[in-house]
Amino acid sequence: MPVTDQAFVTLATNDVYCHGALVLGQSLRNHKTSRRLAVLITSQVSSAMRAALNTIFDTVVDVNEIDSNDSMHLALLERLELGVTFTKLHCWTLTQYSKCVFMDADTLVLCNIDELFDREELSAAPDSGWPDCFNSGVFVFKPSLKTYNLLLQFANEHGSFDGGDQGLLNSFFSNWATTDINKHLPFLYNLSSSVVYTYAPAFQYFGKDTKVVHFLGPSKPWNYKYNPQTGTVIEDSSSSLSNSQLCFLQLWWTTYSSDVLPLLEKTQESSEPQIQREESVQKAEGSLEVHIAEPSESSPEPTFNPTPQETVKMDDVTSSVSELCIQPNPEVLSAEDERRKWEEGHIDYLGKDAFENIKKKLDSFLL
Ligand code: UDP
Ligand code: GLC
Ligand code: MN
């Protein structure tokens, strides 16, 4: 039964973040949420994107951009672009709903999470950088114009210690850390894909139950390239991703290429022609890469023309999350990659690069 007075809410102030919002919305649909889906957008979002958002979300709400303009704190956060996350505050104006769950546009849902609506305002998971603060990428809240106005007043009087919404919200809901343990969501509802590194044994033990992945940080899934023919994310030579990170990226791209891209093609056809967001790059060896360009005034016309994809059901994908992401995955590398790893000093002394194996190889050459 649909629950019409509760909603998942996200935010996209430009077309690039819309790609994330579409994947998030689609992932909630794939896992059969019974709640409404709402997205907040600003005037920068193109009409083609609005059309695409309208097919996945029940409500697309135009709001004014709010920018903290606090470059000092944002510089400390090393994310000068996040001043506009103050726009998130508009979510408290959605008073047609009695309760909502806000989710950043860079999150991805791996299973049904409707049970979050049993929690009260303000429930959120700890931030991996400072666990006495909550991460504002996923939180349960109650829309209220009174709270909205108090938040704006608080922002004017005190600002935000990180220049973005998270600093502000943590100061406003300052008793989160100490008062009610029910307002602490398990970390699995907002697992930062990059922390898998910082406590690998915990990830190996608990990670199979991950419910929401958050691609927190400056590198977003849409900054990577993807080969739709092989269904793989193409790693930049400068990035060093763990298997689990790569697996989560892969999940994002699977949803993007099987559900969102076909939708964007359709809505772009029926919209005015100044949409520039996808580019295709024809590689020498004939494989196709998808690359989402950052928005710019003088972007070229779209040239993207993907090959038809086999539809992958999300349930098939997520049932394999534990096998794909959690198990230490013995890497199969090309000879060239093997050599690069060696030269970079990543040597598997106890495994395939063990003295015994190298000796065997040398012996085989000598013979
Ligand atoms: N956001 C947006 N436009 C921007 C930057 C951020 O719409 O230019 C929204 C979007 O929903 C995004 C959220 O604000 O997910 C928080 O930003 P981000 O996820 O980049 O921050 P992080 O989680 O990496 O700290
Ligand atoms: C965080 C949160 C994000 C927030 C940003 C700025 O890292 O993940 O949602 O917008 O900080 O405060
Ligand atoms: Mn985020």
Side-chain angles (χ1 to χ4, degrees), residues 46 55 82 85 99 143 205 297 367:
S46 69
T55 70
L82 292 189
T85 62
K99 197 188 278 186
Y205 191 67
E297 296 298 314
L367 287 172

Side-chain angles (χ1 to χ4, degrees), residues 82 85 88 104 135-137 162 164-166 214 216:
L82 292 189
T85 62
K88 220 186 252 187
D104 268 8
N135 181 274
S136 63
D162 72 358
D165 65 291
Q166 181 162 304
H214 186 177
L216 185 145

Side-chain angles (χ1 to χ4, degrees), residues 10 36 178 241 286 296 320 343 363:
T10 189
R36 297 295 199 216
T178 51
L241 295 168
S296 82
S320 60
E343 288 172 354
D363 287 349

Side-chain angles (χ1 to χ4, degrees), residues 11-14 17 79 82 84-85 104-106 214 216-217 220:
L11 163 71
T13 65
N14 57 44
Y17 275 91
R79 298 290 300 279
L82 292 189
V84 296
T85 62
D104 268 8
D106 61 341
H214 186 177
L216 185 145
K220 300 301 186 198

Side-chain angles (χ1 to χ4, degrees), residues 69-214:
N69 291 312
D70 181 357
S71 45
M72 197 181 76
H73 287 115
L74 291 166
L76 197 58
L77 189 67
E78 296 180 25
R79 298 290 300 279
L80 284 170
E81 73 280 17
L82 292 189
V84 296
T85 62
F86 267 28
T87 313
K88 220 186 252 187
L89 300 181
H90 281 290
C91 69
W92 267 275
T93 66
L94 299 174
T95 52
Q96 63 269 45
Y97 305 114
S98 61
K99 197 188 278 186
C100 294
V101 174
F102 181 89
M103 302 187 75
D104 268 8
D106 61 341
T107 57
L108 174 72
V109 162
L110 306 186
C111 60
N112 185 291
I113 53 166
D114 288 354
E115 68 277 9
L116 282 180
F117 289 90
D118 296 340
R119 307 272 179 156
E120 300 302 328
E121 174 171 284
L122 185 291
S123 295
D127 185 79
S128 56
W130 197 270
D132 283 343
C133 287
F134 58 83
N135 181 274
S136 63
V138 177
F139 60 87
V140 183
F141 70 101
K142 186 173 170 47
S144 144
L145 292 182
K146 185 174 167 219
T147 312
Y148 174 68
N149 286 318
L150 286 172
L151 278 163
L152 287 187
Q153 192 185 331
F154 192 94
N156 277 325
E157 285 168 13
H158 308 280
S160 159
F161 68 76
D162 72 358
D165 65 291
Q166 181 162 304
L168 173 69
L169 292 174
N170 270 276
S171 302
F172 189 84
F173 295 100
S174 61
N175 62 4
W176 174 84
T178 51
T179 309
D180 182 357
I181 195 66
N182 289 315
K183 293 184 177 174
H184 284 228
L185 298 180
F187 192 57
L188 295 171
Y189 284 97
N190 186 351
L191 182 116
S192 158
S193 63
S194 54
V195 307
V196 166
Y197 257 153
T198 56
Y199 197 8
F203 180 70
Q204 198 180 336
Y205 191 67
F206 298 109
K208 65 181 185 317
D209 298 322
T210 303
K211 294 170 191 294
V212 178
V213 183
H214 186 177

